[in-house]
Amino acid sequence: MGPPQTPASDRATPLTSRKRKFGERDNAPNTTQVAHRQRLEDVGESQYYNPEQDMDERRKVRKDYRYLSRELTDSRAEYLAPGSEGLIQTLNRSNKLYASVRQTSDATLDSRLLVSTAELSMKRTTQLNLGDSTTGIDLDDFVSKCITFMRRGPPEGDASTQTQRRRRGQDDSDEEGNTAEGYDEGDAFNWEWLGRQACCPYNVRPPAPGFLLGPLSVQKRARKATQRRERLQKRDPRDAVRPEELKAKDLEQVENSNLTTICTNIRELLVKKCEEGEKLVEQDLVEDMSEDEIRALMTKHGIADSGGVPLFHFVVNPRSFGQTVENLFYVSFLIKDGAVGIGNDSDMVPTLHPNQPSTPEQIMKENLQKRQAVFHLDFETWEDIIETFEIKESIIPHRQPDPGAQVSANGCLKDLALKLLKDGPHKLEKTPRRVRGLFDGAYIFDTTEARYVWEHPYYPQFWVPESALNVPLNHTQAVDDSGSAHLATLKGKSRSTDRILSFTKGPLADLVRFEFDALDGWFEEDQRIYGHPKDPYKRIDILPSSRVITAKVDGVTIAESKNNLFLYETMLRPRYYMPLSSAQWPYLTPSDTTTVCPYKGMANYYNVVVDGNEHKDLVWWYKYPTAESAPIAGHMCFYNEKVEILVDGVKEGQ
């Protein structure tokens, strides 16, 4: 019997007729499109776009979107945890909010929220595939289920495996003989059934061994730490300096100067002072004493009526303004860690009392919050405090300068003197500015005859005439046989310094150089300077710019803004200061690093943490910049050389 014949009428249908039928079918209106158009006409466009939407309704929508975005950012770690449904709940809430959106500007809020949610979803998926600090997939449970699935095999009615079952029946007949001889194969795994079910029904890709997207044993990838080595350079053997020999006592001095050790010792001193003061008060206490007499007795033994130790008596060192600032710095760390509490007595004078730090569990359970305060102390206020509270000695003992550091400093000064005697300074100029140096509570020089001396090409130092000193200088050691330069010492009211260099011959004759940080403060006119004097041939320009600046670390955008300040400093690359609000703060952690710049002031730093990798001190900012750099207050700057900076989308060279 031959194949069925096609009717003659169908065979005779011309090609043009079939094209006409297809054209009629394509031109026929789509039922779904018609229904959608009809629905648009019924509800009107106002359901999707309404420029006249009520402002109160818009404010509520925007407020809810901002709250949802903030909640997504704050709960980032929680939403990334296995088993969390936070991302799904966020999307559901976003869908409900979108029903009230009628303006394009409001719709952008929804778009940003979706982008942030998608990024978190991608990161969570990556963690599930590659593993992280938590277990995303229980591999043992997964393998066990695969084994059970393969042993169970396909259902009996599956026609696609009849051939396989027949083949297995033949194999089983052979295996019965083997079993009779003591051979036991065990249950066979039906890999074909697992492969068909895993690849064919639910995957458009061809079957491949790697359909599990990796091996069953997952190992987290770790970034290899690379050690950077200094490039080999030819150096003059005459510039070589013999390294200092470290001894056991030098290591002990380093340990004693450790910040943690100093803070621990200060807290122990506070505890001891409180205990001793309370014992003395109890010994001298009489039953018939009035409240004023009891208060006077407590003041006599250094205890405030609140039970603590007066802050000013504890930290203010009448012999050193610099050590007073250091003492406040150490106490601030103890207060931050909760090891010391701060309060007020009945006269509202601040007091300190020992405290036990709260554990992380207590902080979370009691919802404890840290509050910060700024303590401003200048030299005049320091003097007023000493006079008002009649402070004769600080409870925190006065610290003597480190002899080892002095020896090292003198060695550097001697090398500098020999270099200047041989080659001379790069440049030497007079300055009409009034220059003052503060040491041990007094100005040791106040002159308008100072000199700018460029010891190297980068920036100058102040050298002052020896005749301008208010305190006599003691020349202690000649630098060379000619006696052209000497190391010198200067004694203040209660302490001295030997970090001084004096010249008697040559272009620097009768001039004295002080190590910048050997003095408590340097002043140009009435403005304090930091780090080193400002170069009179350099300037800073701070210009607002609408160019878009993007800062990325390891491919992740940390900050982006189009309202920036471009800081141009002579002979240096531009720096881009971005508003603090432009940063993605979950990636930033505070750093303990501080630096000083004579043009901008004292800078604080942030570290950047991306996927568990910490990049130290990539961001800096000035809380209280100098007057000439005041516009950069409240802005942050990224280290151009260490991060990826894009200016209007164009990557800047590092």
Side-chain angles (χ1 to χ4, degrees):
M1 181 177 179
Q5 297 294 327
T6 304
S9 58
D10 292 341
R11 292 199 308 268
T13 302
L15 181 60
T16 55
S17 301
R18 278 184 283 175
K19 289 184 177 181
R20 185 168 57 255
K21 289 182 179 181
F22 277 111
E24 293 174 355
R25 185 178 64 181
D26 293 340
N27 293 330
N30 187 288
T31 307
T32 306
Q33 294 178 356
V34 172
H36 182 64
R37 291 171 184 169
Q38 184 64 35
R39 184 168 174 268
L40 286 178
E41 294 177 359
D42 294 340
V43 301
E45 294 182 356
S46 61
Q47 182 176 354
Y48 303 100
Y49 176 71
N50 183 11
E52 310 255 339
Q53 186 181 9
D54 183 62
M55 289 302 298
D56 292 336
E57 184 180 0
R58 286 193 62 193
R59 292 191 187 97
K60 184 178 183 306
V61 170
R62 297 175 71 88
K63 178 181 178 182
D64 292 342
Y65 267 116
R66 285 194 294 267
Y67 176 79
L68 193 57
S69 299
R70 186 165 56 251
E71 182 180 1
L72 180 65
T73 303
D74 296 342
S75 306
R76 179 186 183 91
E78 178 183 349
Y79 290 174
L80 289 176
S84 174
E85 297 183 355
L87 295 177
I88 297 177
Q89 295 174 358
T90 300
L91 290 175
N92 292 336
R93 292 165 62 184
S94 175
N95 290 337
K96 293 181 180 179
L97 288 177
Y98 191 74
S100 302
V101 172
R102 299 292 183 273
Q103 296 272 347
T104 55
S105 58
D106 299 342
T108 57
L109 297 176
D110 183 77
S111 301
R112 294 174 185 171
L113 180 62
L114 289 179
V115 170
S116 301
T117 308
E119 290 179 351
L120 283 181
S121 301
M122 180 184 67
K123 187 170 184 179
R124 182 172 175 180
T125 304
T126 304
Q127 291 179 355
L128 291 176
N129 285 335
L130 300 180
D132 62 350
S133 58
T134 61
T135 303
I137 297 177
D138 190 342
L139 296 180
D140 294 334
D141 182 62
F142 176 74
V143 173
S144 176
K145 290 181 178 179
C146 288
I147 293 173
T148 304
F149 182 80
M150 287 188 289
R151 284 178 174 173
R152 186 171 62 240
E156 293 297 331
D158 193 341
S160 63
T161 59
Q162 291 179 359
T163 304
Q164 180 185 357
R165 287 202 302 272
R166 286 196 299 269
R167 187 182 303 114
R168 185 182 300 171
Q170 296 173 1
D171 296 339
D172 290 344
S173 63
D174 297 336
E175 290 175 359
E176 289 177 359
N178 295 333
T179 305
E181 297 174 2
Y183 179 82
D184 186 9
E185 183 90 8
D187 293 334
F189 294 157
N190 194 337
W191 288 97
E192 181 181 358
W193 170 245
L194 177 64
R196 289 181 180 276
Q197 294 301 312
C199 293
C200 299
Y202 312 113
N203 199 337
V204 296
R205 297 183 300 173
F211 69 90
L212 290 178
L213 301 179
L216 293 180
S217 60
V218 181
Q219 183 178 3
K220 183 179 179 181
R221 294 178 297 179
R223 182 185 295 273
K224 294 183 179 179
T226 58
Q227 183 178 5
R228 297 184 178 180
R229 298 182 179 179
E230 183 181 6
R231 294 181 179 178
L232 296 178
Q233 297 178 355
K234 293 184 179 180
R235 298 183 178 179
D236 190 345
R238 292 174 296 177
D239 295 337
V241 179
R242 181 182 181 86
E244 294 186 41
E245 182 180 358
L246 292 179
K247 300 180 181 179
K249 62 179 183 179
D250 298 327
L251 299 178
E252 293 178 0
Q253 292 175 356
V254 172
E255 179 64 25
N256 293 333
S257 63
N258 181 271
L259 177 61
T260 303
T261 304
I262 293 176
C263 292
T264 303
N265 295 337
I266 289 177
R267 186 184 184 279
E268 293 176 353
L269 181 63
L270 177 63
V271 173
K272 182 179 178 181
K273 180 63 179 177
C274 289
E275 293 176 350
E276 292 179 351
E278 290 175 357
K279 290 181 180 179
L280 293 174
V281 171
E282 291 176 358
Q283 293 175 2
D284 299 342
L285 188 63
V286 181
E287 295 182 359
D288 298 335
M289 278 188 172
S290 63
E291 291 185 2
D292 293 339
E293 291 175 339
I294 295 175
R295 187 179 304 169
L297 179 62
M298 297 178 70
T299 303
K300 174 185 175 181
H301 295 298
I303 301 295
D305 54 15
S306 62
V309 176
L311 171 66
F312 297 140
H313 287 82
F314 190 75
V315 301
V316 173
N317 187 341
R319 300 166 57 185
S320 172
F321 173 74
Q323 290 199 18
T324 299
V325 175
E326 290 179 2
N327 294 340
L328 282 171
F329 176 75
Y330 298 140
V331 170
S332 68
F333 271 96
L334 292 171
I335 295 175
K336 170 182 174 290
D337 296 336
V340 170
I342 186 168
N344 296 315
D345 60 10
S346 58
D347 296 327
M348 298 306 294
V349 176
T351 59
L352 299 175
H353 57 270
N355 192 19
Q356 289 297 332
S358 301
T359 62
E361 293 77 10
Q362 292 175 338
I363 294 176
M364 295 183 62
K365 182 178 180 180
E366 301 176 11
N367 194 21
L368 300 178
Q369 295 182 354
K370 294 183 179 181
R371 293 180 172 85
Q372 297 179 347
V374 178
F375 194 96
H376 175 77
L377 180 68
D378 53 22
F379 187 78
E380 289 75 14
T381 306
W382 173 69
E383 291 181 328
D384 293 341
I385 291 175
I386 296 174
E387 181 180 357
T388 303
F389 293 93
E390 298 180 351
I391 300 175
K392 304 299 182 182
E393 191 70 26
S394 171
I395 296 178
I396 299 178
H398 180 78
R399 295 177 292 279
Q400 296 297 331
D402 184 4
Q406 297 297 324
V407 171
S408 177
N410 288 343
C412 295
L413 285 175
K414 186 174 181 179
D415 293 340
L416 173 63
L418 293 174
K419 177 179 179 298
L420 292 175
L421 287 174
K422 177 185 176 182
D423 302 329
H426 285 263
K427 192 188 300 184
L428 174 65
E429 290 186 3
K430 291 183 178 181
T431 174
R433 306 185 185 202
R434 180 189 182 188
V435 179
R436 291 179 289 171
L438 182 66
F439 179 74
D440 199 18
Y443 290 108
I444 58 174
F445 58 83
D446 185 347
T447 180
T448 57
E449 300 294 329
R451 303 290 193 274
Y452 281 124
V453 177
W454 278 263
E455 301 164 358
H456 47 71
Y458 310 113
Y459 55 81
Q461 292 285 357
F462 276 137
W463 291 54
V464 298
E466 187 170 351
S467 59
L469 299 180
N470 300 325
V471 181
L473 202 64
N474 180 24
H475 293 181
T476 57
Q477 178 185 352
V479 173
D480 64 347
D481 296 336
S482 66
S484 301
H486 295 78
L487 300 177
T489 60
L490 182 143
K491 184 173 178 58
K493 296 178 182 178
S494 58
R495 59 190 176 99
S496 61
T497 179
D498 59 355
R499 301 168 64 184
I500 305 172
L501 189 61
S502 174
F503 275 65
T504 56
K505 298 179 182 178
L508 299 175
D510 301 325
L511 294 179
V512 178
R513 180 195 190 275
F514 293 86
E515 286 285 292
F516 199 86
D517 56 354
L519 303 188
D520 297 331
W522 290 76
F523 295 85
E524 280 184 331
E525 299 298 338
D526 294 334
Q527 179 72 41
R528 184 166 185 170
I529 57 177
Y530 301 90
H532 60 80
K534 302 175 184 177
D535 192 326
Y537 296 99
K538 291 185 178 180
R539 60 175 290 173
I540 284 182
D541 293 313
I542 302 175
L543 306 176
S545 175
S546 59
R547 287 196 278 173
V548 178
I549 301 298
T550 305
K552 294 185 177 181
V553 177
D554 291 345
V556 178
T557 299
I558 307 300
E560 186 174 44
S561 174
K562 63 178 180 180
N563 299 313
N564 306 296
L565 296 174
F566 283 26
L567 189 147
Y568 296 97
E569 187 172 348
T570 305
M571 302 300 294
L572 296 178
R573 68 185 305 168
R575 299 293 185 186
Y576 310 116
Y577 283 81
M578 309 166 69
L580 294 175
S581 58
S582 66
Q584 298 291 334
W585 285 100
Y587 295 104
L588 302 181
T589 58
S591 171
D592 295 331
T593 303
T594 58
T595 58
V596 292
C597 172
Y599 306 97
K600 297 181 282 293
M602 179 176 290
N604 298 93
Y605 285 77
Y606 282 101
N607 304 323
V608 178
V609 181
V610 178
D611 292 335
N613 298 321
E614 184 180 52
H615 304 270
K616 298 286 291 185
D617 303 330
L618 291 190
V619 187
W620 68 81
W621 68 292
Y622 294 87
K623 189 173 184 179
Y624 302 111
T626 59
E628 62 187 305
S629 301
I632 65 175
H635 289 68
M636 62 169 54
C637 183
F638 284 81
Y639 208 150
N640 304 43
E641 293 82 354
K642 296 184 179 181
V643 304
E644 182 180 351
I645 298 292
L646 288 82
V647 182
D648 277 344
V650 179
K651 183 177 179 180
E652 185 184 60
Q654 293 178 301

